[in-house]
Amino acid sequence: MIQTICCIGAGYVGGPTMAVIADRCPGVQVTVVDLNQARIDAWNDADLSQLPVYEPGLDAVVGRCRCRNLHFSTDVDGAIAAADMVFLSVNTPTKSKGIGAGQASDLRWIEASARQVAAAARGHTIVVEKSTLPVRTAEVIQTILGAAEGDTPAGRKSFSVLSNPEFLAEGTAIGDLEAPDRVLIGGEDPAAIEALAAIYGHWVPAERILRTNVWSSELSKLTANAFLAQRISSINSIAALCEATEADVREVARAIGADSRIGGKFLKAGPGFGGSCFQKDILNLVYLCRHYGLVEVANYWEAVVTLNAWQQQRISALVVRQLFGTVTGKRIAVLGFAFKADTNDTRETPAIRICADLLEEGAQLAIFDPKVSAEQIALDLGQQPEASGSANGSSAANGLSGEGVWQKVADPLEAVRGADAVLVLTEWQQFAQLDWAALAGVMRQPAWLFDARAICDAGAARAAGLKVWRVGEG
Ligand code: UDX
Ligand code: ADP
């Protein structure tokens, strides 16, 4: 029986997952550890609106369990030593240099945490890989841990490694964790598998807990994300064709989604997929296929990522083209920067590439997002915001000098003041309720609405005198 859990990594995966485990298993002590002191302090903040991860419902879960059986700490070694089960939920971004750069995952944080577990663990410890990882990572972890097994002054040390991929989607993480479609446990040690299954068994129906070998489990995670991302690239490719042929991608999506073999989910055309998983996982798959000499398979999956990048580039090019071929010195309101609604996460958000393209063209961007901070946008764009009040087409502080600038603004009305265009990049629900008469009234005419999420009331925008482009509308 597992009584004490340690989770290494207090990020988007580790934080919400452990909060729900603690909530559903009151008899288990759960400690989430991280090297990042500021992040741990934020998880411990008395003000629950300051949690480092924004997820609807997360604050309530943390509020119920914190100090009871959910703890956040930087004492990594202490928490490992006390744990019967250790989850690895550290970051695994795509490598930026060296062998496999741009495709393979950077496993340095996984390796470092496995070594730390090897050194600090006591007795028998079940180690669960939770981060998205390339296939066969469990083998690497097993090898590192295996080297530390044996008799120690504190008693015999041994490990079992399991793969338990996370399928939660950001923005709906709490619902996904509380009522998962399935929980996948891959491993070789039946006792370890059953120990983890018993944790989930507190709230997940038995038939939804799937057991596989460790490689199938790891590969299933990559495959699930590859299939989901493929649907998005597929519908975005058809959106481009709709725009060229006067079809409407939403009508097409409804028509094909009604076929129960296809299904209606994940068929929303947009500015392309973002988030920390899809691109990384497909590139992992591509790298793996190349490694095994499966060139055609690698090329097949790589096309999903190529199409996604093209979709983003096509949108920035379209904005420039419609604004008479130049956006230099023009104010463009950008509504939404997060990679999807209901999250403050900007990893791989299409907004980064689209805004960077427009800045390159000399635009003055006024960016509004209800959850993303100016500091995060500055990191993502690699450029500091312009001082308050100057990114304004009417005052044209940098005028026609050609240098792109950006500024974060407090609301959509401020964003559009003096702007030639509004570009909607995230489907925040509030963008469906914008008052187009009021917004159009403060824009510079002729003005455009470019709705890359088809979330806005296009009829109202047109009635207010705006020219409107919606993704996938011919
Ligand atoms: C994804 C997987 O869904 C989840 O199972 C896995 O554990 C992690 O990766 P996430 O990245 O949080 O989750 O978000 P998801 O809802 O899958 O959306 C990914 C991207 O696709 C977003 O940028 C979203 O806007 C886009 N998307 C999604 C579309 O453009 N159209 C759709 O129909 C659905
Ligand atoms: P994810 O989306 O996979 O949860 P995040 O980047 O949000 O990724 O979170 C990963 C967390 O793991 C970060 O907060 C990082 O500081 C933490 N981390 C990375 N390596 C270690 C380590 N060796 N020990 C403790 N925490 C670590």
Side-chain angles (χ1 to χ4, degrees), residues 166-170 221 225 228 232 266-268 272-274 277-278 339-340 453:
E166 190 49 75
F167 295 106
L168 65 80
E170 288 176 29
K221 165 77 183 197
N225 280 342
L228 290 169
I232 300 169
F266 260 70
L267 287 178
K268 285 207 189 81
F273 57 78
C277 282
F278 281 179
F339 80 98
K340 65 182 207 180
R453 296 280 187 173

Short mmCIF file of all heavy atoms in Angstrom, two decimals, residues 166-170 221 225 228 232 266-268 272-274 277-278 339-340 453, ligand 1:
data_model
loop_
_atom_site.label_atom_id
_atom_site.label_comp_id
_atom_site.label_asym_id
_atom_site.label_seq_id
_atom_site.Cartn_x
_atom_site.Cartn_y
_atom_site.Cartn_z
N GLU A 166 0.64 11.06 -19.19
CA GLU A 166 -0.42 12.00 -18.82
C GLU A 166 -1.18 12.42 -20.07
O GLU A 166 -0.58 12.85 -21.04
CB GLU A 166 0.24 13.22 -18.16
CG GLU A 166 -0.75 14.14 -17.54
CD GLU A 166 -1.72 13.38 -16.66
OE1 GLU A 166 -1.31 12.99 -15.57
OE2 GLU A 166 -2.87 13.14 -17.07
N PHE A 167 -2.48 12.30 -20.03
CA PHE A 167 -3.29 12.69 -21.19
C PHE A 167 -4.10 13.96 -20.92
O PHE A 167 -4.98 14.31 -21.69
CB PHE A 167 -4.24 11.55 -21.59
CG PHE A 167 -3.53 10.32 -22.09
CD1 PHE A 167 -3.43 9.18 -21.32
CD2 PHE A 167 -2.92 10.32 -23.34
CE1 PHE A 167 -2.77 8.05 -21.77
CE2 PHE A 167 -2.25 9.20 -23.82
CZ PHE A 167 -2.17 8.05 -23.02
N LEU A 168 -3.84 14.64 -19.81
CA LEU A 168 -4.65 15.82 -19.51
C LEU A 168 -4.37 16.92 -20.53
O LEU A 168 -3.26 17.04 -21.04
CB LEU A 168 -4.39 16.32 -18.10
CG LEU A 168 -3.02 16.88 -17.71
CD1 LEU A 168 -2.83 18.31 -18.16
CD2 LEU A 168 -2.84 16.78 -16.21
N ALA A 169 -5.40 17.67 -20.83
CA ALA A 169 -5.23 18.83 -21.71
C ALA A 169 -5.33 20.08 -20.84
O ALA A 169 -6.13 20.12 -19.89
CB ALA A 169 -6.29 18.84 -22.80
N GLU A 170 -4.52 21.06 -21.14
CA GLU A 170 -4.54 22.28 -20.33
C GLU A 170 -5.87 23.00 -20.52
O GLU A 170 -6.47 22.96 -21.59
CB GLU A 170 -3.37 23.17 -20.72
CG GLU A 170 -2.07 22.57 -20.20
CD GLU A 170 -0.85 23.34 -20.63
OE1 GLU A 170 -0.94 24.56 -20.83
OE2 GLU A 170 0.20 22.71 -20.78
N LYS A 221 1.41 7.24 -25.87
CA LYS A 221 1.34 8.68 -25.59
C LYS A 221 1.72 9.48 -26.85
O LYS A 221 1.02 10.41 -27.26
CB LYS A 221 2.27 9.00 -24.43
CG LYS A 221 2.58 10.46 -24.24
CD LYS A 221 1.44 11.20 -23.58
CE LYS A 221 1.78 12.67 -23.49
NZ LYS A 221 0.98 13.40 -22.57
N ASN A 225 -1.01 11.80 -29.24
CA ASN A 225 -0.81 13.21 -29.58
C ASN A 225 -0.59 13.40 -31.08
O ASN A 225 -1.04 14.39 -31.66
CB ASN A 225 0.36 13.78 -28.78
CG ASN A 225 -0.08 14.15 -27.36
OD1 ASN A 225 -1.27 14.29 -27.10
ND2 ASN A 225 0.86 14.30 -26.46
N LEU A 228 -4.03 13.30 -32.73
CA LEU A 228 -4.80 14.52 -32.46
C LEU A 228 -4.26 15.69 -33.28
O LEU A 228 -5.02 16.44 -33.90
CB LEU A 228 -4.74 14.85 -30.96
CG LEU A 228 -5.51 13.89 -30.05
CD1 LEU A 228 -5.16 14.13 -28.58
CD2 LEU A 228 -7.01 14.04 -30.26
N ILE A 232 -5.82 18.22 -36.57
CA ILE A 232 -5.80 19.69 -36.67
C ILE A 232 -5.14 20.12 -37.97
O ILE A 232 -5.65 20.99 -38.68
CB ILE A 232 -5.11 20.30 -35.44
CG1 ILE A 232 -5.87 19.89 -34.18
CG2 ILE A 232 -5.06 21.82 -35.55
CD1 ILE A 232 -5.14 20.21 -32.91
N PHE A 266 -12.04 17.82 -32.19
CA PHE A 266 -10.74 18.18 -32.76
C PHE A 266 -10.80 18.47 -34.24
O PHE A 266 -9.92 18.08 -35.01
CB PHE A 266 -9.70 17.07 -32.44
CG PHE A 266 -8.83 17.46 -31.28
CD1 PHE A 266 -9.37 17.51 -30.00
CD2 PHE A 266 -7.50 17.82 -31.46
CE1 PHE A 266 -8.60 17.92 -28.92
CE2 PHE A 266 -6.73 18.23 -30.39
CZ PHE A 266 -7.28 18.27 -29.11
N LEU A 267 -11.86 19.13 -34.64
CA LEU A 267 -11.99 19.51 -36.05
C LEU A 267 -12.15 21.02 -36.19
O LEU A 267 -12.72 21.49 -37.17
CB LEU A 267 -13.20 18.79 -36.67
CG LEU A 267 -13.04 17.29 -36.92
CD1 LEU A 267 -14.32 16.69 -37.49
CD2 LEU A 267 -11.87 17.01 -37.87
N LYS A 268 -11.65 21.77 -35.22
CA LYS A 268 -11.76 23.24 -35.31
C LYS A 268 -10.54 23.79 -36.03
O LYS A 268 -9.42 23.67 -35.54
CB LYS A 268 -11.84 23.85 -33.92
CG LYS A 268 -13.18 23.68 -33.26
CD LYS A 268 -13.41 24.82 -32.24
CE LYS A 268 -14.64 24.56 -31.41
NZ LYS A 268 -14.38 23.64 -30.31
N GLY A 272 -3.36 27.03 -36.02
CA GLY A 272 -2.38 25.94 -35.87
C GLY A 272 -2.30 25.53 -34.41
O GLY A 272 -2.66 26.28 -33.52
N PHE A 273 -1.83 24.30 -34.19
CA PHE A 273 -1.74 23.83 -32.80
C PHE A 273 -0.50 24.37 -32.13
O PHE A 273 0.52 24.59 -32.75
CB PHE A 273 -1.80 22.30 -32.72
CG PHE A 273 -0.75 21.57 -33.52
CD1 PHE A 273 0.56 21.46 -33.07
CD2 PHE A 273 -1.09 20.97 -34.73
CE1 PHE A 273 1.52 20.77 -33.80
CE2 PHE A 273 -0.14 20.29 -35.48
CZ PHE A 273 1.17 20.19 -35.01
N GLY A 274 -0.65 24.61 -30.81
CA GLY A 274 0.50 24.97 -29.98
C GLY A 274 0.52 24.05 -28.78
O GLY A 274 -0.05 22.95 -28.83
N CYS A 277 3.11 19.79 -26.02
CA CYS A 277 3.17 18.36 -26.35
C CYS A 277 3.16 18.01 -27.84
O CYS A 277 3.95 17.19 -28.28
CB CYS A 277 2.00 17.64 -25.69
SG CYS A 277 2.27 17.35 -23.95
N PHE A 278 2.24 18.60 -28.59
CA PHE A 278 1.99 18.07 -29.94
C PHE A 278 3.24 18.07 -30.81
O PHE A 278 3.65 17.05 -31.35
CB PHE A 278 0.87 18.86 -30.63
CG PHE A 278 -0.51 18.46 -30.17
CD1 PHE A 278 -1.63 19.09 -30.68
CD2 PHE A 278 -0.69 17.45 -29.25
CE1 PHE A 278 -2.91 18.72 -30.27
CE2 PHE A 278 -1.95 17.07 -28.82
CZ PHE A 278 -3.06 17.71 -29.34
N PHE A 339 -1.74 29.57 -26.04
CA PHE A 339 -1.89 28.63 -27.17
C PHE A 339 -3.31 28.12 -27.31
O PHE A 339 -3.68 27.57 -28.34
CB PHE A 339 -0.88 27.49 -27.07
CG PHE A 339 -1.24 26.37 -26.14
CD1 PHE A 339 -1.82 25.21 -26.63
CD2 PHE A 339 -0.97 26.46 -24.78
CE1 PHE A 339 -2.14 24.15 -25.78
CE2 PHE A 339 -1.30 25.41 -23.93
CZ PHE A 339 -1.89 24.27 -24.42
N LYS A 340 -4.11 28.30 -26.25
CA LYS A 340 -5.54 28.03 -26.32
C LYS A 340 -6.20 28.76 -25.16
O LYS A 340 -5.50 29.33 -24.31
CB LYS A 340 -5.82 26.53 -26.29
CG LYS A 340 -5.44 25.85 -24.99
CD LYS A 340 -5.72 24.36 -25.13
CE LYS A 340 -6.01 23.72 -23.82
NZ LYS A 340 -6.27 22.29 -23.93
N ARG A 453 -9.74 32.19 -35.13
CA ARG A 453 -10.42 31.14 -34.36
C ARG A 453 -11.91 31.07 -34.69
O ARG A 453 -12.62 30.25 -34.10
CB ARG A 453 -10.28 31.41 -32.86
CG ARG A 453 -8.87 31.37 -32.35
CD ARG A 453 -8.41 29.94 -32.13
NE ARG A 453 -7.11 29.91 -31.50
CZ ARG A 453 -6.53 28.78 -31.07
NH1 ARG A 453 -7.12 27.62 -31.22
NH2 ARG A 453 -5.34 28.81 -30.53
C1 UDX B 1 -2.61 17.93 -25.60
C2 UDX B 1 -3.43 16.62 -25.57
O1 UDX B 1 -4.80 16.92 -25.87
C3 UDX B 1 -3.31 15.97 -24.20
O2 UDX B 1 -3.99 14.72 -24.20
C4 UDX B 1 -1.83 15.75 -23.89
O3 UDX B 1 -1.68 15.19 -22.61
C5 UDX B 1 -1.06 17.06 -23.97
O4 UDX B 1 -1.26 17.66 -25.26
P1 UDX B 1 -2.96 20.41 -24.75
O5 UDX B 1 -1.70 20.72 -25.48
O6 UDX B 1 -3.12 20.91 -23.37
O7 UDX B 1 -3.20 18.83 -24.68
O8 UDX B 1 -4.19 21.02 -25.57
P2 UDX B 1 -5.21 20.55 -26.70
O9 UDX B 1 -6.58 20.85 -26.23
O10 UDX B 1 -4.96 19.18 -27.17
O11 UDX B 1 -4.90 21.59 -27.86
C6 UDX B 1 -3.65 21.64 -28.51
C7 UDX B 1 -3.65 22.69 -29.58
O12 UDX B 1 -4.51 22.33 -30.65
C8 UDX B 1 -4.12 24.07 -29.12
O13 UDX B 1 -3.27 25.05 -29.67
C9 UDX B 1 -5.52 24.17 -29.67
O14 UDX B 1 -5.93 25.50 -29.90
C10 UDX B 1 -5.39 23.41 -30.96
N1 UDX B 1 -6.66 22.85 -31.44
C11 UDX B 1 -7.32 21.88 -30.72
C12 UDX B 1 -7.20 23.28 -32.65
O15 UDX B 1 -6.62 24.16 -33.32
N2 UDX B 1 -8.37 22.73 -33.09
C13 UDX B 1 -9.04 21.76 -32.40
O16 UDX B 1 -10.09 21.30 -32.88
C14 UDX B 1 -8.49 21.33 -31.17
#
